[in-house]
Amino acid sequence: MPTRRALLALAGAAGGALALPRPALARAADPVADEYHRLLLAHTRWVQQQWDPAIGAYRLADFRFAAVLGNAVLLTTDGYDADLAGVDAVTLRRQTLTTITRFAATNRLTGGTEWGQRLFWDSTFELYFVLAARLLWADLDAATRANVGTIARAQAAYAYGLGTGNDPLSGSWTPNGSAGGYRGDTKLEEMGVYAQAIAPGLAWAPAGDAEAARWKERFVFWAANAGGLPAADRANPAIIDGRAVRDVNVAHNLHDTFVVENHESVNPHYQAELWRTAGRAAAHFLAAAKPLPQVLTSQPNGRELWATLRLLASDAGEPVMPMVADRYHLYGRDVLPLAFLAQVQGDRHAARAEADLAARLMPYLRYTPVNRLTKFSGEEKYEPEARAELAIAYLFHQWRTAPVTPVTSAEFFAAAAGARTFGDAVGLTAHQSTAAFAAAVTKPGQVRFLWQPGHDNWLIDTRAPAFLPAQTAPPARSWTAAYTAARDGVDATATVLQTAAGWAGYATLPTGTVVYAGPGPSHLTLFNLTMPGVPGLDGDRTFTGAGGTVTPSAGLGDGGTDRITFVPRTIRFVRFSGVSAAGQYGYSLFGLQVFDAAGTDRALGRAVTASSADPAYPAANAVDGNSGTRWAVAREERGRADSWLAVDLGSAVQVTGVTLTWETAYATAYLVQTSTDGTTWTTAATAPATATLGAWADIDGRAGLVAHGATGPVIASPVRVTIPQATLIEGYVGADLPAAAGRRLPTGGPAALRLSDADGFLTLLNLSSAAINGAVLTLPRGDRLYRGVSIVRADGGLDLTASVPAGGGAVRPARFTVTGRAPTGTRFNVADSHHVTVTAPAGAAVDVRLSTGTWQARAQVPAGGTRGYAVPIAGPVTPTADLARGRTTFPTSPLPAGMGEPSYAVDGNPGTAWRPGPNGRMVVDLGAASAVAAVSLTWTGGPQRAARIESSADGITYTAFSAPSTVRYLAVAVPGWTAGDAELVEISASPL
């Protein structure tokens, strides 16, 4: 086993930067690594709680003995701090070694019966365990070394022996052979596990080992296919570990929008498995001083999957979980994918996310339950995994001469910004801007709107719907669109739903602002914790409205333990009555206590009734005095907001307060009610405290709301903001809220048409099943010209003619700005981003200045005359009917040697071009089968090779394109291309 300072050097990975420095070299400062080390030390206090003196080792349950990897890292690096760890290094070493010795012998692969061999999830913990043993190799006896070696080799042989079949020990867990799966439940994770099961045996095999050569081929197969997308992979001749992607990849694990589903929902935690399993495997190759297989640093479709994850990113490294949020704020399990991308693959954007997450980890660790790396939506069983992966992340930093330098947060979100609809089957339309994240989920059973102003994932709880009341039935009708700068001149989204409660519309703007119209009252559920070190989590939320600033009393409605006192009263019955829940699981109480003046719990053991109960968690559990049992509403009642639990104290008694101890399914708002007869109830306490704000509200200086045409004021509590029914609600990041609330809104069209000009963008939401054609809209401001015909009004505003599809919407950017006053009746006809025509009225000349971007021109038009203006600045003309503009291109990552970026041929920018490379071929995915009238190619200067245009319906089989045709994929092949030949500036597909 090489020593820590003798570990090599990976040739070819991350620019050759992964190597321990020689003793004489000073290490570069690495604050993230330092924080990881402190975290491992502090987390050791949890580890020590897992010691089982009866077996002389850490516990077997939930693989808690895998904590030895974190121990091994601490014991083989400098800076051990016994005070922080809660145990001296000698004791920790002894316990770690005895644990490794014991569990190496009890593994099934070494003749034991306790654990091992099973791919899910024993092989994952074997990987951690073997790495820990290798780090402490010199301290292990010969028998234990032999057992550890057997585990690594035998597990690799076992996984290899399965071929592409199921593991009989793993039940329903399967990669579905080599086919994979992408609808509802990706097999990305499963294929990654098959690969990682082979990794330790492969990494530690001696040079020239014949079995290892076979293992490597299977390892590469599983690792490459984890991110498989046939239409992309078949178009990719890039060589990875000696074989072309198109020859290796056969699986289909991704949607064509580069997102994965797990358990019927988009949950980015599972998408990150691509780098989590790769990181686990990479640690063994690096520790063994072996070159990394290329498939770990050049994963097929890896760049595209990372771009999707950044589209869903928060300000703390953890992505938003837009649907089922069972991995929300599970920080310790989010570290390794980012560390691998950053420190192994060298991605500076991942380094930014990693640094942001690292900065939150110690405050998170110290929050109750203390010394845990996973909490909130995570169970304690995840702690061994989180510790092991934090240890691997630390090793990645140690094995570099210098950490990867992160981009700034501004650079990160500028690069991540964009809007995308992921398809009807996925049911997600997302928008990342430089100021906020927003999304619309249209998948039945999970319908909701989301908003994360400032990317702050500790402000608005995205597990609860924003603005749109919770939906229990699928929408009768849905419409959604994502606008992109390349195609439409703006990154934005619009969604319109017909729900059981009525029509609802939601638009997201590039400024981070959102616009909502629909059923009310609307709510935003807030986090309000005391977690020093995390911005905003200081234990309260402050709100400002027209009447001033107020900070409602905190502590109720945020989970945990709620202690409520009230004026003493003589009663017999006490009832908790829910108003709203924090998430989708309804309400669950560990305990309901009712105290008299002497502090005696009068509810203990008394009779209880409830609106419903899960059979596994009956109502009596809430008053049994056992903190480990709980009451939970019935599964079918989780969506019911007014669920209740009542206790009969047995006789009339004077009480002074109650205590409610919540499970993670807590109430954000509720009533405590009392009664003398169990029939007539009086409210003793309302949780939480509230403040009345008016028509606009600033939320803790982090976001703002404006309610236009509201039936009442905005009400705020420390954990919830309620907006009454309103004509239109606008959510802002850093705006002048009084000015936004006081401005005149656009008007016109039928009552079902809701209009906003927030931040200069014209938002139109048609909340009806009837199309709106040729409606005349009145725009209060006359200085913004939108696409279409606008006529100057006598008051200086504009009349704009617009149409909106049935149950649809639109977001329109201002194409030109007018400076100066045009005469009444002046007509501006904006064709697109580059062309505007000005027509003066018969009785007056026009003299104004037009501008857009850096272009401006004086528009002088004589009375009754017409004059056109064209913007000469290079850039995409938007909107466009070109079916290819801005669409997905193949090959994806990694690109073949010599090939340039294919997306340059569809970006609408005449200054960029696709370099084909030797015998280059690129594909454009039009997104759906489309009727194409013609395809045209635009080339740079230089010798132009004869290009071949092909088309396909499935992305697999291509034939020569002939117009007109209905196709989904278009390919351009350039046989014989050599350096200096013409490059492809644009491929354009005209609709039929």
Side-chain angles (χ1 to χ4, degrees), residues 37-210:
H37 194 262
R38 285 191 292 270
L39 285 157
L40 285 170
L41 286 165
H43 189 254
T44 302
R45 291 180 176 271
W46 176 86
V47 174
Q48 290 308 101
Q49 295 172 7
Q50 313 314 311
W51 180 254
D52 185 349
I55 65 173
Y58 296 117
R59 292 186 175 90
L60 171 65
D62 299 326
F63 303 100
R64 296 183 185 216
F65 62 86
V68 292
L69 178 53
N71 296 3
V73 167
L74 290 174
L75 294 168
T76 55
T77 54
D78 299 330
Y80 189 83
D81 185 333
D83 291 335
L84 186 55
V87 60
D88 63 86
V90 172
T91 300
L92 187 69
R93 181 179 296 273
R94 183 182 68 252
Q95 293 179 339
T96 300
L97 293 174
T98 58
T99 297
I100 292 174
T101 298
R102 183 188 191 282
F103 284 101
T106 64
N107 187 283
R108 295 185 187 100
L109 296 167
T110 60
T113 59
E114 284 190 333
W115 72 296
Q117 185 170 346
R118 182 173 54 187
L119 262 63
F120 302 92
W121 296 97
D122 297 54
S123 68
T124 299
F125 291 91
E126 284 176 343
L127 184 150
Y128 305 145
F129 184 82
V130 169
L131 183 57
R134 286 290 179 173
L135 293 175
L136 292 170
W137 200 248
D139 295 333
L140 299 177
D141 60 72
T144 300
R145 289 186 188 180
N147 283 336
V148 171
T150 296
I151 291 171
R153 289 189 63 85
Q155 186 64 70
Y158 178 76
Y160 176 81
L162 293 173
T164 58
N166 297 349
D167 174 20
L169 302 177
S170 295
S172 61
W173 288 96
T174 169
N176 191 25
S178 61
Y182 70 99
R183 290 188 179 93
D185 198 3
T186 181
K187 300 302 180 182
L188 179 156
E189 180 180 26
E190 285 82 347
M191 290 190 176
V193 169
Y194 270 56
Q196 73 175 29
I198 297 172
L202 182 59
W204 297 102
D209 187 288

Side-chain angles (χ1 to χ4, degrees), residues 435-436 451 453-454 459 467 509 511-515 696-699 702-708 728-737 739-741 743 745 756-760:
W451 185 41
L459 179 59
F467 305 110
L509 307 182
T511 54
T513 294
V514 295
V515 179
W696 60 271
D698 173 274
I699 304 171
R702 297 173 178 272
L705 295 171
V706 172
H708 299 281
L728 195 74
I729 299 171
E730 295 166 338
Y732 291 94
V733 183
D736 183 340
L737 297 175
R743 79 186 195 280
L745 289 178
S756 169
D757 62 354
D759 300 336

Side-chain angles (χ1 to χ4, degrees), residues 568-594:
R569 59 185 62 199
T570 301
I571 50 91
R572 176 171 173 171
F573 300 89
V574 176
R575 181 170 73 179
F576 150 77
S577 184
V579 175
S580 64
Q584 59 189 344
Y585 300 108
Y587 306 111
S588 181
L589 279 167
F590 285 115
L592 169 62
Q593 298 169 290
V594 181

